[in-house]
Amino acid sequence: MAPHPRPRARRALHPDRGSQLSGTPTRASDLDIAVKFGADLSERERFEKRCFLSGDLQGEDRPFIDVSDIESLPLDVAHDAVNGELLCGDEGTFERFKTDTEAKFDEQRETLRRRQRAVIDRIAEDGLRG
């Protein structure tokens, strides 16, 4: 079997949240990285590349690294990611993607808040079982 080509992401983003960045990691802490692949890749190709990238990044001497395809994330999670740290990629392209994501988030902010509130209210009334 031929070796798989190394994944090439256009941009990698590190959300600016979590215990790893705040300096308070626990043994269960992971490191979240969002990747923006080129538009020419299919959903399946992005999935395969994300899996290979994730495998390449894992190691016994570091926390689990959770690699996400930013285009498959819920909008509120993608919004958090673009407000993190750009690890690699073109700064101008990143800024355009960030601006687009923030605009979409701003358009849907109230809808997202209503949905989150409904979930919280349901849990408050029914507990985690319902």
Side-chain angles (χ1 to χ4, degrees):
M1 180 185 264
H4 293 285
R6 299 204 39 90
R8 291 181 40 187
R10 296 285 171 95
R11 287 171 286 293
L13 310 168
H14 186 281
D16 192 22
R17 298 173 196 256
S19 60
Q20 293 291 339
L21 289 181
S22 67
T24 58
T26 67
R27 293 182 66 204
S29 296
D30 67 355
L31 189 61
D32 297 310
I33 296 178
V35 178
K36 169 75 171 85
F37 293 103
D40 58 327
L41 297 177
S42 70
E43 187 175 332
R44 179 185 171 97
E45 290 170 318
R46 290 192 328 255
F47 174 77
E48 289 174 355
K49 290 183 180 298
R50 183 179 61 83
C51 290
F52 287 118
L53 178 60
S54 179
D56 285 348
L57 294 174
Q58 304 310 320
E60 290 183 31
D61 60 336
R62 55 185 169 251
F64 176 77
I65 300 173
D66 185 9
V67 179
S68 298
D69 177 353
I70 198 164
E71 293 181 285
S72 68
L73 294 173
L75 182 56
D76 55 339
V77 178
H79 179 260
D80 286 346
V82 298
N83 284 291
E85 178 183 347
L86 176 66
L87 297 177
C88 63
D90 180 72
E91 187 76 31
T93 303
F94 166 71
E95 288 300 326
R96 286 188 295 280
F97 182 78
K98 179 179 179 177
T99 298
D100 291 346
T101 301
E102 288 178 333
K104 288 176 193 171
F105 180 79
D106 287 343
E107 288 173 8
Q108 297 181 30
R109 182 184 310 261
E110 288 308 312
T111 301
L112 292 168
R113 283 189 179 156
R114 278 193 301 274
R115 286 183 190 156
Q116 290 170 342
R117 187 79 235 160
V119 169
I120 291 167
D121 290 347
R122 182 191 54 80
I123 292 171
E125 289 177 15
D126 301 334
L128 293 175
R129 290 176 269 144

